Amino acid sequence: MADTSLLSRIPLRISVPLMLVTPVLLVAVVLTLIAYVQGSATARELTRGNLDQIHKRIEAHVDGLLDTPATAVAMNKALIEQGRLPIDDLPAWRDTIISQFHAQPILSSIVFGSADGRATWVCRYEGDDLHTYYAVNPPGDNTQLAEYRINAKAESSTQPTNTFPYDPRIRPWYKAPTEAGKATWCEPFVFVGGADAESVTLGISYAEPLFDSQGKQLGVVDADLSLNDISHYLARLKIGEWGQVYITDRDGLIIGSSMGAKLADDSGERISATKSEHAWVRVSADHIGHAFKSLHSIQSRYEKTIDIEGHRFLLVCSPYEHPTGISWMIVTLVPESDFLAGVQAARQRGLIIAVVASLLTLLLGIAAAMWMVRPMMQLNQHVRRIGEGDLDQEIHLNQSPELIKLSNEINEMTAGLRDRMRMRHSLAVAMDVQQALLPDGSPKVKGVDIAGHSTYCDETGGDYYDFLDITGLEESSVCVALGDVMGHGVAAAMLMATARGILRSHSSEPRSLADLLCHLNELLVPDTGGKRFMTMLLATLDAKNRVLRWASAGHEPPFYYDPQSGTYHELDGSGLPLGIMQEEVYEEYTFDDVREGQVFFMATDGVWEMQNPDGEQFGKQRVRELIESHHTESAEQISRHIRDALIAFRGDDSRDDDVTFVILRVMSVG
């Protein structure tokens, strides 16, 4: 009986290639779909991981914001108890709180209100570059508040620019701690005053009541934050291509947002996220409200994919708690297209490759098709394992030189990916360490002009400088720590972070500089085992008493330029580097001929040893000439001249050592 099937009527020259190309095409399509599904899942997981990191960054920044008012309140309470801020003479506070305010730009205001209705404070408003000082004195039923403007030099006007009735005792920041009987946050409220009468500045206050020995309330010490600062930070975050974030309190009222969503209406009434004019905020808040009976019940991370205006979004909501009692919600929204765009493009490329592979299979014939299917399946399985995170396996294809080369390159790519993942993790840790090591700016010390600078030769470095707040130092004194760890990279950064933590944790204990080095060395030696070491220089300059003290662990002491004599002087005195030998005893040295105009310079060896393309070192003489030429300028200007000279001297050559230095210029204390 004749075979009447369809295949029997098709010539072999057509049926065989069709039989070959069909499974290849099907396999290619299936693999592309599998890769798409797995790629989508991987993209979602990566996005979730990124959002976790973003939430942690937001929480860390908000922690810093909320810690600042509490620190300011504690400091001013201590100054009051010490009698340095007399509550019976509030005008005497002006210079102190203005100076505090300039030193803490995160704060929106620093306030004190007395129980008899007097008040004094300094503040800033949204969109206003200048600061404002307020005073209410003396008390009375019709007490008038006097407003003074402060310029960029921290100088206030002599005459008030505005006056209006004001009683601090009825303000939210005063009533909340008074009713609680302890330090607390008040609910967000509208600030009074401001450069623009039509603008609304919404903020929160952390305040603590002050009592005398009989328990009678004397007043309230307060520090405020503008919620606009939180929104400004959120707006700077990069969340995918179009992702956004906002924060609400547990009642659903908006605290801040990256989208510019209004926090309050024109009357100062706070706006609920469910009533926001921004659709992303409103829709996501409605969804969270339907998913939970109350925002107060949310105790862990919540994640959901939702629709907003016809587009799919990944919503992540996590609770935020601060030790001082703040309880908020952080909500992020990322369009699905952000993390699936690359996967969809890969799917299209995969389909194109499948079609091309099928056409090639038709031309190559039976033998070539059978020969290629097996290694391709092996390759696919191996790539799938790589996509699932298995980077320890290797593939070995030996059907042809090309496949051998391909398998070798894939194995090299996998090994490189392994190394890059480890490197990325190490660099992320090291970068965080380095950011924590270096100070944000130079301290303001009466009689001393200060500038510090540090540049690393790669992503991380072994250099370090800091300004320590050591108990017992005069207000006219500054304490500088300068260190240099052997080597670079993560290990050097971690050792320097350890040293910094030990120094800062023991700065509050009355110790000499030599004692600090001895204590630091005793703690570092067990950790380093004597295999790694670091040099350290601790120096204090007291402009009022005209004395410089220093202790050195293998680090070069300061040298200084005296403009009166036009000469340079190098100071002596050093000990063994830290981390080598326990029970090493360090000495403290003193220089008591400090005079106005002198410029003290301390640095790591990367400054002197900077080389130009010809191999010549920068040397100390060039530094001395720069200081001598610019000693009448500010410390920061001298620092800039030295940095510019180092860059010009180095040329296009990359640095092979870190560059760190600190400049102290003695000023008049009168």
Side-chain angles (χ1 to χ4, degrees):
M1 182 175 177
D3 190 351
T4 58
S5 66
L6 179 61
L7 187 60
S8 66
R9 296 194 296 268
I10 301 176
L12 287 177
R13 66 178 181 274
I14 298 176
S15 62
V16 170
L18 282 176
M19 286 187 293
L20 291 172
V21 75
T22 299
V24 172
L25 182 59
L26 290 175
V27 169
V29 171
V30 170
L31 292 179
T32 301
L33 292 176
I34 292 174
Y36 175 74
V37 173
Q38 292 178 340
S40 299
T42 301
R44 287 188 174 90
E45 286 302 318
L46 289 174
T47 300
R48 293 187 182 99
N50 288 336
L51 290 178
D52 282 340
Q53 293 301 317
I54 289 171
H55 277 235
K56 290 177 182 178
R57 284 168 52 198
I58 295 171
E59 291 174 2
H61 183 81
V62 175
D63 277 342
L65 287 176
L66 298 181
D67 287 342
T68 302
T71 302
V73 167
M75 178 177 64
N76 283 335
K77 179 183 177 183
L79 292 176
I80 293 172
E81 293 172 347
Q82 296 168 10
R84 297 168 66 180
L85 292 177
I87 62 176
D88 57 351
D89 185 15
L90 297 187
W93 290 38
R94 178 186 298 210
D95 292 341
T96 299
I97 62 176
I98 289 176
S99 176
Q100 290 179 6
F101 197 64
H102 274 269
Q104 303 180 84
I106 286 178
L107 294 177
S108 295
S109 63
I110 299 175
V111 190
F112 174 79
S114 67
D116 59 4
R118 293 173 297 122
T120 184
W121 80 90
V122 61
C123 68
R124 68 169 63 85
Y125 294 95
E126 179 71 5
D128 189 1
D129 293 332
L130 299 180
H131 303 157
T132 308
Y133 171 79
Y134 292 98
V136 180
N137 192 54
D141 293 337
N142 296 315
T143 299
Q144 291 291 310
L145 179 147
E147 175 184 281
Y148 301 85
R149 301 291 281 164
I150 304 172
N151 62 25
K153 297 181 179 180
E155 301 168 342
S156 64
S157 57
T158 57
Q159 297 297 323
T161 57
N162 191 17
T163 60
F164 51 91
Y166 183 84
D167 188 345
R169 295 166 296 187
I170 65 174
R171 296 296 293 164
W173 59 266
Y174 191 102
K175 294 169 65 176
T178 299
E179 293 171 1
K182 62 180 182 179
T184 186
W185 292 93
C186 73
E187 291 296 325
F189 64 97
V190 177
F191 290 172
V192 300
D196 183 359
E198 295 181 0
S199 65
V200 173
T201 301
L202 197 66
I204 54 176
S205 293
Y206 183 82
E208 182 174 356
L210 188 66
F211 301 93
D212 62 16
S213 58
Q214 285 75 40
K216 179 182 177 181
Q217 184 168 337
L218 301 175
V220 170
V221 185
D222 169 57
D224 302 337
L225 285 175
S226 167
L227 298 188
N228 294 326
D229 289 336
I230 297 178
S231 291
H232 293 333
Y233 168 74
L234 298 180
R236 293 193 297 269
L237 285 176
K238 181 68 173 177
I239 308 174
E241 186 68 25
W242 301 103
Q244 301 290 349
V245 60
Y246 66 92
I247 299 176
T248 72
D249 61 20
R250 291 288 186 158
D251 293 324
L253 300 175
I254 303 175
I255 296 296
S257 105
S258 64
M259 298 162 264
K262 294 180 65 175
L263 311 182
D265 58 24
D266 294 337
S267 66
E269 192 71 20
R270 295 182 63 198
I271 296 176
S272 170
T274 58
K275 297 181 180 179
S276 173
E277 80 281 8
H278 201 291
W280 289 21
V281 176
R282 184 176 63 255
V283 175
S284 60
D286 282 335
H287 174 85
I288 296 171
H290 286 96
F292 297 89
K293 293 181 180 180
S294 168
L295 296 184
H296 294 272
S297 65
I298 302 177
Q299 301 300 321
S300 60
R301 171 188 168 115
Y302 171 75
E303 177 181 317
K304 193 71 174 179
T305 301
I306 64 173
D307 287 317
I308 302 178
E309 298 180 333
H311 299 281
R312 300 284 289 172
F313 287 76
L314 177 62
L315 179 151
V316 178
C317 173
S318 63
Y320 168 78
E321 306 288 338
H322 192 266
T324 56
I326 288 290
S327 180
W328 289 342
M329 300 299 303
I330 300 174
V331 181
T332 52
L333 291 162
V334 180
E336 193 173 62
S337 59
D338 268 16
F339 54 89
L340 290 184
V343 178
Q344 291 169 346
R347 179 181 62 175
Q348 294 174 354
R349 290 193 298 269
L351 291 174
I352 294 173
I353 293 172
V355 172
V356 173
S358 299
L359 294 175
L360 290 176
T361 304
L362 285 169
L363 299 175
L364 293 175
I366 297 175
M370 293 180 65
W371 186 68
M372 287 297 297
V373 166
R374 185 164 173 246
M376 290 301 295
M377 292 298 296
Q378 292 175 336
L379 179 61
N380 172 71
Q381 292 172 356
H382 184 70
V383 171
R384 183 185 302 175
R385 287 197 297 269
I386 292 176
E388 293 172 349
D390 184 2
L391 303 178
D392 296 324
Q393 301 296 323
E394 291 188 350
I395 185 171
H396 298 282
L397 305 175
N398 53 19
Q399 286 83 351
S400 70
E402 292 80 3
L403 290 176
I404 293 174
K405 181 179 179 181
L406 177 60
S407 62
N408 290 336
E409 290 179 350
I410 290 176
N411 291 335
E412 291 177 2
M413 178 195 70
T414 305
L417 182 58
R418 251 191 334 261
D419 292 339
R420 284 193 294 274
M421 291 180 67
R422 285 194 292 264
M423 183 181 298
R424 178 177 296 179
H425 176 72
S426 298
L427 288 178
V429 173
M431 287 175 65
D432 289 341
V433 170
Q434 294 304 121
Q435 290 174 359
L437 286 177
L438 300 179
D440 293 334
S442 300
K444 304 298 182 183
V445 178
K446 188 175 182 180
V448 186
D449 184 13
I450 307 165
H453 172 75
S454 187
T455 303
Y456 299 131
C457 64
D458 48 28
E459 289 85 351
T460 58
D463 279 10
Y464 156 74
Y465 79 94
D466 203 354
F467 303 107
L468 303 179
D469 186 10
I470 297 182
T471 299
L473 286 184
E474 297 282 349
E475 289 185 355
S476 59
S477 296
V478 60
C479 180
V480 178
L482 191 70
D484 188 355
V485 177
M486 178 189 68
H488 308 285
V490 176
M494 296 305 293
L495 179 58
M496 188 54 73
T498 301
R500 176 185 182 274
I502 295 172
L503 279 178
R504 289 213 165 192
S505 65
H506 290 277
S507 294
S508 59
E509 304 172 9
R511 293 174 181 264
S512 70
L513 301 181
D515 289 340
L516 278 174
L517 286 182
C518 291
H519 183 76
L520 180 57
N521 184 63
E522 291 301 309
L523 295 178
L524 288 182
V525 170
D527 291 340
T528 63
K531 297 179 180 179
R532 296 189 68 87
F533 65 87
M534 61 179 291
T535 64
M536 177 69 71
L537 172 66
L538 298 179
T540 61
L541 177 62
D542 187 341
K544 179 179 179 182
N545 296 311
R546 300 303 188 185
V547 62
L548 174 76
R549 292 183 171 86
W550 74 95
S552 173
H555 201 97
E556 186 170 351
F559 70 78
Y560 70 94
Y561 173 71
D562 189 343
Q564 294 184 15
S565 62
T567 58
Y568 282 93
H569 302 272
E570 292 193 8
L571 302 175
D572 296 323
S574 183
L576 195 68
L578 301 172
I580 296 179
M581 181 181 299
Q582 286 189 318
E583 299 182 2
E584 174 70 10
V585 177
Y586 296 94
E587 297 184 20
E588 182 172 301
Y589 303 91
T590 302
F591 174 68
D592 56 6
D593 192 23
V594 175
R595 295 195 297 271
E596 181 179 345
Q598 290 176 342
V599 179
F600 289 84
F601 187 83
M602 51 199 82
T604 59
D605 54 13
V607 177
W608 339 116
E609 297 176 1
M610 173 74 74
Q611 293 185 355
N612 63 12
D614 296 329
E616 179 186 4
Q617 292 188 345
F618 191 77
K620 291 184 179 180
Q621 184 59 34
R622 287 186 174 88
V623 176
R624 292 170 176 170
E625 291 172 356
L626 286 166
I627 295 175
E628 181 177 0
S629 299
H630 303 283
H631 72 273
T632 59
E633 301 179 31
S634 69
E636 180 57 37
Q637 290 173 321
I638 297 174
S639 170
R640 187 177 298 109
H641 288 304
I642 294 175
R643 298 198 304 265
D644 291 344
L646 286 169
I647 293 172
F649 182 79
R650 187 184 73 240
D652 296 331
D653 284 7
S654 60
R655 295 180 299 274
D656 56 9
D657 199 2
D658 305 329
V659 171
T660 301
F661 59 84
V662 176
I663 298 172
L664 304 178
R665 183 167 173 264
V666 183
M667 309 290 289
S668 171
V669 296

